[in-house]
PDB file of all heavy atoms in Angstrom:
ATOM      1  N   LEU A 135     -13.168  -5.537 -35.266  1.00  0.00           N
ATOM      2  CA  LEU A 135     -13.222  -4.454 -34.338  1.00  0.00           C
ATOM      3  C   LEU A 135     -13.616  -4.948 -32.976  1.00  0.00           C
ATOM      4  O   LEU A 135     -14.585  -5.703 -32.847  1.00  0.00           O
ATOM      5  CB  LEU A 135     -14.166  -3.389 -34.878  1.00  0.00           C
ATOM      6  CG  LEU A 135     -14.518  -2.195 -33.819  1.00  0.00           C
ATOM      7  CD1 LEU A 135     -13.274  -1.408 -33.617  1.00  0.00           C
ATOM      8  CD2 LEU A 135     -15.705  -1.432 -34.431  1.00  0.00           C
ATOM      9  N   ASP A 136     -12.877  -4.554 -31.937  1.00  0.00           N
ATOM     10  CA  ASP A 136     -13.290  -4.847 -30.569  1.00  0.00           C
ATOM     11  C   ASP A 136     -13.399  -3.583 -29.736  1.00  0.00           C
ATOM     12  O   ASP A 136     -12.542  -2.636 -29.891  1.00  0.00           O
ATOM     13  CB  ASP A 136     -12.106  -5.732 -29.883  1.00  0.00           C
ATOM     14  CG  ASP A 136     -12.053  -7.122 -30.531  1.00  0.00           C
ATOM     15  OD1 ASP A 136     -13.050  -7.712 -30.789  1.00  0.00           O
ATOM     16  OD2 ASP A 136     -10.928  -7.490 -30.846  1.00  0.00           O
ATOM     17  N   VAL A 137     -14.311  -3.628 -28.833  1.00  0.00           N
ATOM     18  CA  VAL A 137     -14.414  -2.540 -27.863  1.00  0.00           C
ATOM     19  C   VAL A 137     -14.470  -3.239 -26.412  1.00  0.00           C
ATOM     20  O   VAL A 137     -15.359  -4.071 -26.271  1.00  0.00           O
ATOM     21  CB  VAL A 137     -15.638  -1.670 -27.989  1.00  0.00           C
ATOM     22  CG1 VAL A 137     -15.733  -0.607 -26.877  1.00  0.00           C
ATOM     23  CG2 VAL A 137     -15.589  -1.001 -29.374  1.00  0.00           C
ATOM     24  N   ARG A 138     -13.588  -2.965 -25.537  1.00  0.00           N
ATOM     25  CA  ARG A 138     -13.535  -3.629 -24.305  1.00  0.00           C
ATOM     26  C   ARG A 138     -13.104  -2.731 -23.164  1.00  0.00           C
ATOM     27  O   ARG A 138     -12.483  -1.650 -23.430  1.00  0.00           O
ATOM     28  CB  ARG A 138     -12.607  -4.827 -24.352  1.00  0.00           C
ATOM     29  CG  ARG A 138     -11.188  -4.488 -24.681  1.00  0.00           C
ATOM     30  CD  ARG A 138     -10.281  -5.624 -24.803  1.00  0.00           C
ATOM     31  NE  ARG A 138      -8.888  -5.343 -25.007  1.00  0.00           N
ATOM     32  CZ  ARG A 138      -7.892  -6.168 -25.117  1.00  0.00           C
ATOM     33  NH1 ARG A 138      -8.101  -7.465 -24.963  1.00  0.00           N
ATOM     34  NH2 ARG A 138      -6.644  -5.753 -25.311  1.00  0.00           N
ATOM     35  N   PRO A 139     -13.370  -3.037 -21.918  1.00  0.00           N
ATOM     36  CA  PRO A 139     -12.913  -2.206 -20.784  1.00  0.00           C
ATOM     37  C   PRO A 139     -11.460  -2.502 -20.479  1.00  0.00           C
ATOM     38  O   PRO A 139     -10.993  -3.644 -20.670  1.00  0.00           O
ATOM     39  CB  PRO A 139     -13.843  -2.627 -19.627  1.00  0.00           C
ATOM     40  CG  PRO A 139     -14.224  -4.010 -19.934  1.00  0.00           C
ATOM     41  CD  PRO A 139     -14.315  -4.078 -21.493  1.00  0.00           C
ATOM     42  N   LEU A 140     -10.820  -1.449 -19.895  1.00  0.00           N
ATOM     43  CA  LEU A 140      -9.382  -1.635 -19.546  1.00  0.00           C
ATOM     44  C   LEU A 140      -9.273  -0.950 -18.195  1.00  0.00           C
ATOM     45  O   LEU A 140      -9.586   0.201 -17.946  1.00  0.00           O
ATOM     46  CB  LEU A 140      -8.502  -0.932 -20.572  1.00  0.00           C
ATOM     47  CG  LEU A 140      -7.050  -1.168 -20.402  1.00  0.00           C
ATOM     48  CD1 LEU A 140      -6.649  -2.564 -20.946  1.00  0.00           C
ATOM     49  CD2 LEU A 140      -6.216  -0.100 -21.191  1.00  0.00           C
ATOM     50  N   LEU A 141      -8.607  -1.634 -17.195  1.00  0.00           N
ATOM     51  CA  LEU A 141      -8.384  -1.104 -15.839  1.00  0.00           C
ATOM     52  C   LEU A 141      -6.894  -0.844 -15.726  1.00  0.00           C
ATOM     53  O   LEU A 141      -6.076  -1.676 -15.994  1.00  0.00           O
ATOM     54  CB  LEU A 141      -8.851  -2.127 -14.763  1.00  0.00           C
ATOM     55  CG  LEU A 141      -8.626  -1.722 -13.354  1.00  0.00           C
ATOM     56  CD1 LEU A 141      -9.490  -0.504 -12.965  1.00  0.00           C
ATOM     57  CD2 LEU A 141      -8.966  -2.884 -12.405  1.00  0.00           C
ATOM     58  N   THR A 142      -6.530   0.312 -15.280  1.00  0.00           N
ATOM     59  CA  THR A 142      -5.210   0.702 -15.057  1.00  0.00           C
ATOM     60  C   THR A 142      -4.878   1.085 -13.666  1.00  0.00           C
ATOM     61  O   THR A 142      -5.777   1.488 -12.916  1.00  0.00           O
ATOM     62  CB  THR A 142      -4.731   1.910 -15.975  1.00  0.00           C
ATOM     63  OG1 THR A 142      -5.498   2.992 -15.635  1.00  0.00           O
ATOM     64  CG2 THR A 142      -4.979   1.456 -17.428  1.00  0.00           C
ATOM     65  N   TYR A 143      -3.612   0.934 -13.223  1.00  0.00           N
ATOM     66  CA  TYR A 143      -3.165   1.255 -11.894  1.00  0.00           C
ATOM     67  C   TYR A 143      -1.793   1.947 -12.029  1.00  0.00           C
ATOM     68  O   TYR A 143      -0.859   1.344 -12.585  1.00  0.00           O
ATOM     69  CB  TYR A 143      -3.101   0.097 -10.920  1.00  0.00           C
ATOM     70  CG  TYR A 143      -2.597   0.389  -9.567  1.00  0.00           C
ATOM     71  CD1 TYR A 143      -3.444   1.029  -8.619  1.00  0.00           C
ATOM     72  CD2 TYR A 143      -1.359   0.162  -9.186  1.00  0.00           C
ATOM     73  CE1 TYR A 143      -3.000   1.330  -7.395  1.00  0.00           C
ATOM     74  CE2 TYR A 143      -0.783   0.432  -7.933  1.00  0.00           C
ATOM     75  CZ  TYR A 143      -1.673   1.045  -7.036  1.00  0.00           C
ATOM     76  OH  TYR A 143      -1.249   1.419  -5.812  1.00  0.00           O
ATOM     77  N   ASP A 144      -1.706   3.125 -11.558  1.00  0.00           N
ATOM     78  CA  ASP A 144      -0.407   3.926 -11.600  1.00  0.00           C
ATOM     79  C   ASP A 144       0.535   3.433 -10.521  1.00  0.00           C
ATOM     80  O   ASP A 144       0.449   3.892  -9.343  1.00  0.00           O
ATOM     81  CB  ASP A 144      -0.646   5.428 -11.473  1.00  0.00           C
ATOM     82  CG  ASP A 144      -1.395   5.983 -12.656  1.00  0.00           C
ATOM     83  OD1 ASP A 144      -1.393   5.305 -13.745  1.00  0.00           O
ATOM     84  OD2 ASP A 144      -1.954   7.042 -12.542  1.00  0.00           O
ATOM     85  N   LEU A 145       1.437   2.490 -10.833  1.00  0.00           N
ATOM     86  CA  LEU A 145       2.270   1.849  -9.750  1.00  0.00           C
ATOM     87  C   LEU A 145       3.286   2.970  -9.327  1.00  0.00           C
ATOM     88  O   LEU A 145       3.579   3.085  -8.133  1.00  0.00           O
ATOM     89  CB  LEU A 145       2.995   0.725 -10.399  1.00  0.00           C
ATOM     90  CG  LEU A 145       3.794  -0.193  -9.423  1.00  0.00           C
ATOM     91  CD1 LEU A 145       2.893  -0.758  -8.348  1.00  0.00           C
ATOM     92  CD2 LEU A 145       4.575  -1.262 -10.231  1.00  0.00           C
ATOM     93  N   THR A 146       3.876   3.677 -10.326  1.00  0.00           N
ATOM     94  CA  THR A 146       4.761   4.842  -9.913  1.00  0.00           C
ATOM     95  C   THR A 146       4.416   5.900 -10.959  1.00  0.00           C
ATOM     96  O   THR A 146       3.439   5.911 -11.613  1.00  0.00           O
ATOM     97  CB  THR A 146       6.247   4.420 -10.153  1.00  0.00           C
ATOM     98  OG1 THR A 146       6.538   4.248 -11.514  1.00  0.00           O
ATOM     99  CG2 THR A 146       6.583   3.129  -9.352  1.00  0.00           C
ATOM    100  N   GLU A 147       5.211   7.013 -10.907  1.00  0.00           N
ATOM    101  CA  GLU A 147       5.091   8.116 -11.840  1.00  0.00           C
ATOM    102  C   GLU A 147       5.186   7.644 -13.260  1.00  0.00           C
ATOM    103  O   GLU A 147       4.497   8.297 -14.148  1.00  0.00           O
ATOM    104  CB  GLU A 147       6.073   9.233 -11.495  1.00  0.00           C
ATOM    105  CG  GLU A 147       5.853  10.518 -12.304  1.00  0.00           C
ATOM    106  CD  GLU A 147       6.873  11.516 -12.074  1.00  0.00           C
ATOM    107  OE1 GLU A 147       7.724  11.344 -11.154  1.00  0.00           O
ATOM    108  OE2 GLU A 147       6.922  12.557 -12.751  1.00  0.00           O
ATOM    109  N   HIS A 148       5.979   6.634 -13.506  1.00  0.00           N
ATOM    110  CA  HIS A 148       6.212   6.288 -14.923  1.00  0.00           C
ATOM    111  C   HIS A 148       5.702   4.926 -15.313  1.00  0.00           C
ATOM    112  O   HIS A 148       5.531   4.653 -16.456  1.00  0.00           O
ATOM    113  CB  HIS A 148       7.661   6.302 -15.163  1.00  0.00           C
ATOM    114  CG  HIS A 148       8.409   7.650 -15.020  1.00  0.00           C
ATOM    115  ND1 HIS A 148       8.267   8.599 -16.026  1.00  0.00           N
ATOM    116  CD2 HIS A 148       9.146   8.181 -13.989  1.00  0.00           C
ATOM    117  CE1 HIS A 148       8.940   9.646 -15.589  1.00  0.00           C
ATOM    118  NE2 HIS A 148       9.466   9.404 -14.473  1.00  0.00           N
ATOM    119  N   VAL A 149       5.430   4.034 -14.287  1.00  0.00           N
ATOM    120  CA  VAL A 149       5.056   2.707 -14.606  1.00  0.00           C
ATOM    121  C   VAL A 149       3.529   2.545 -14.340  1.00  0.00           C
ATOM    122  O   VAL A 149       3.043   2.810 -13.243  1.00  0.00           O
ATOM    123  CB  VAL A 149       5.766   1.611 -13.712  1.00  0.00           C
ATOM    124  CG1 VAL A 149       5.316   0.229 -14.023  1.00  0.00           C
ATOM    125  CG2 VAL A 149       7.307   1.763 -13.933  1.00  0.00           C
TER     126      VAL A 149
END
Side-chain angles (χ1 to χ4, degrees):
L135 170 67
D136 295 314
V137 178
R138 62 182 181 177
L140 189 80
L141 179 65
T142 61
Y143 178 77
D144 293 341
L145 190 63
T146 67
E147 181 182 357
H148 296 284
V149 179

